[in-house]
Amino acid sequence: MASSSSSSPPQLEANETRNWVELPRDVMAMILHKLGAIHILESAQKVCMTWRNICKDPAMWRSIDMRNLGDLWSMPYNLEKMARHAIDRSCGELVDINLEYFVTDELLQYLADRASQLRRLRLACCSEISDEGLSEAAKKLPLLEELHIYLSPLSKVSLETVGRCCPRLKSLKFNDRGSRSSYVGCDDEVAVVIGETMPGLHDLQLFGNKMTNDGLQAILNGCPHLESLDLRQCFNVHLVGPFGKRCSERVKVLQRPYDPTDDYEFDTTVCDDDEDSFDDEYPSGFSEIDFLSDVDNDYEFSGGGSDYSDYGELFFDDY
């Protein structure tokens, strides 16, 4: 009996240390931020008043991550409205945002109007954005340092605007699907635009680009600070002889057209347009998806903008 009685106090003490509400605010903010914008807005901020107050702090929204959202066609959320609300919560302090699939020109404009301090912008698989939409946004983002674009229908038109309006740009990823075809035109114009308008680049990834050696030469001539260059699946580039040697000497980290793609997060299947088929020699892999089927409550906004007054009343009815 004495042994049982003496073990009780440590058990109570252990339980007390598991009370997350009593964690230091900065530690709790760091933990909550790792959940991502979706989980914060849909779940975490509803747990208690302390967590809700932390989640409303603009510092929590200096970096917004809305990638890997699961099956977009079956999710109950209006993701564009959710993104707008996340942007609003940053109160102009947003410096980094990561978006996939659901981005439109209107959302880009909304972002640009409210995030003039933005340094990093990542857009993936965004079929609803246009050259005009990205160009208009770039004009309002003069501090942009990193622009990463994956599998989106954009061209040299918007890249030229980005180059001329974002003089601090140091990292560009402008990636496509790898393709080998005897009749596919090259993308040297894109490379020339990069060389002419982005002299400050240190990091460049052109995965699946159709440019030739001429385009690569334009990049090397116009980007003297280039340290990292990823040319995987750029099958019209041939790094042989003196030219290949120059590239190796000129760039510290060089990934060649036929280098492995194991670390690339999107589909790496090579399209063979001549045969209307796919080349099985190359591994394929999609970005990892975190399905949210276990979330009980829908996150739906009614009305326009990001007015949260009705939602707040519903939330606090239980307190």
Side-chain angles (χ1 to χ4, degrees):
M1 294 295 291
S3 174
S4 175
S5 175
S6 62
S7 64
S8 295
Q11 181 67 36
L12 292 173
E13 182 179 350
N15 288 338
E16 290 176 357
T17 61
R18 296 191 185 102
N19 189 344
W20 283 32
V21 175
E22 296 180 1
L23 285 173
R25 183 183 177 91
D26 58 339
V27 174
M28 194 67 252
M30 181 178 64
I31 294 172
L32 290 173
H33 190 268
K34 291 182 180 296
L35 296 176
I38 299 293
H39 282 303
I40 291 174
L41 292 174
E42 168 56 23
S43 303
Q45 70 171 2
K46 300 179 183 179
V47 171
C48 63
M49 289 288 293
T50 299
W51 284 21
R52 181 168 175 80
N53 289 335
I54 293 174
C55 291
K56 292 176 69 176
D57 187 344
M60 282 283 290
W61 304 94
R62 297 185 75 248
S63 178
I64 297 173
D65 190 351
M66 296 188 69
R67 61 180 165 177
N68 295 339
L69 299 177
D71 187 351
L72 301 179
W73 292 269
S74 65
M75 289 182 68
Y77 315 119
N78 186 323
L79 296 174
E80 182 169 348
K81 288 185 177 180
M82 187 177 285
R84 291 183 181 221
H85 186 66
I87 292 167
D88 287 346
R89 283 203 173 180
S90 72
C91 297
E93 296 183 17
L94 181 61
V95 296
D96 181 3
I97 191 166
N98 194 335
L99 303 168
E100 288 188 357
Y101 296 102
F102 61 90
V103 184
T104 62
D105 286 348
E106 291 74 20
L107 180 57
L108 275 182
Q109 188 64 46
Y110 193 87
L111 170 67
D113 287 339
R114 292 160 178 80
S116 60
Q117 303 299 310
L118 196 68
R119 263 65 165 185
R120 292 175 292 277
L121 172 61
R122 181 185 186 272
L123 305 169
C125 306
C126 301
S127 60
E128 298 300 316
I129 59 176
S130 66
D131 281 317
E132 182 180 2
L134 180 58
S135 295
E136 291 303 310
K139 294 175 184 178
K140 300 178 180 180
L141 301 173
L143 302 183
L144 196 67
E145 297 178 358
E146 299 180 16
L147 176 62
H148 297 174
I149 298 174
Y150 302 82
L151 302 171
S152 298
L154 299 169
S155 71
K156 66 168 187 173
V157 175
S158 53
L159 280 187
E160 184 171 10
T161 304
V162 169
R164 301 199 183 284
C165 296
C166 307
R168 299 190 181 190
L169 196 68
K170 292 182 175 64
S171 176
L172 174 68
K173 295 183 180 181
F174 190 68
N175 298 340
D176 205 343
R177 287 278 304 279
S179 175
R180 292 187 295 181
S181 172
S182 60
Y183 59 83
V184 173
C186 70
D187 243 352
D188 285 342
E189 291 183 343
V190 167
V192 170
V193 164
I194 292 173
E196 289 181 347
T197 66
M198 303 179 184
L201 283 184
H202 289 236
D203 173 35
L204 176 61
Q205 184 178 76
L206 294 172
F207 194 103
N209 194 277
K210 299 179 180 66
M211 69 177 177
T212 66
N213 282 20
D214 291 338
L216 179 54
Q217 183 70 64
I219 290 172
L220 295 175
N221 290 342
C223 303
H225 304 292
L226 203 60
E227 298 179 353
S228 175
L229 178 60
D230 188 346
L231 300 172
R232 285 178 293 176
Q233 296 195 1
C234 296
F235 298 122
N236 292 329
V237 171
H238 305 288
L239 300 179
V240 297
F243 183 68
K245 182 180 179 181
R246 182 196 171 196
C247 289
S248 298
E249 294 174 346
R250 171 77 166 67
V251 181
K252 292 180 180 179
V253 180
L254 176 63
Q255 291 184 279
R256 297 167 177 268
Y258 291 91
D259 280 355
T261 59
D262 298 350
D263 63 337
Y264 190 71
E265 62 182 306
F266 294 100
D267 186 7
T268 60
T269 304
V270 178
C271 180
D272 189 341
D273 293 333
D274 284 335
E275 299 179 2
D276 195 26
S277 64
F278 295 98
D279 191 332
D280 293 331
E281 293 179 6
Y282 294 84
S284 63
F286 295 89
S287 58
E288 296 181 358
I289 302 298
D290 297 326
F291 290 98
L292 302 180
S293 58
D294 57 337
V295 176
D296 294 330
N297 298 317
D298 294 355
Y299 192 96
E300 297 181 354
F301 290 85
S302 60
S306 301
D307 187 354
Y308 229 63
S309 56
D310 293 338
Y311 177 83
E313 291 174 5
L314 290 171
F315 177 79
F316 288 110
D317 279 346
D318 294 333
Y319 288 83

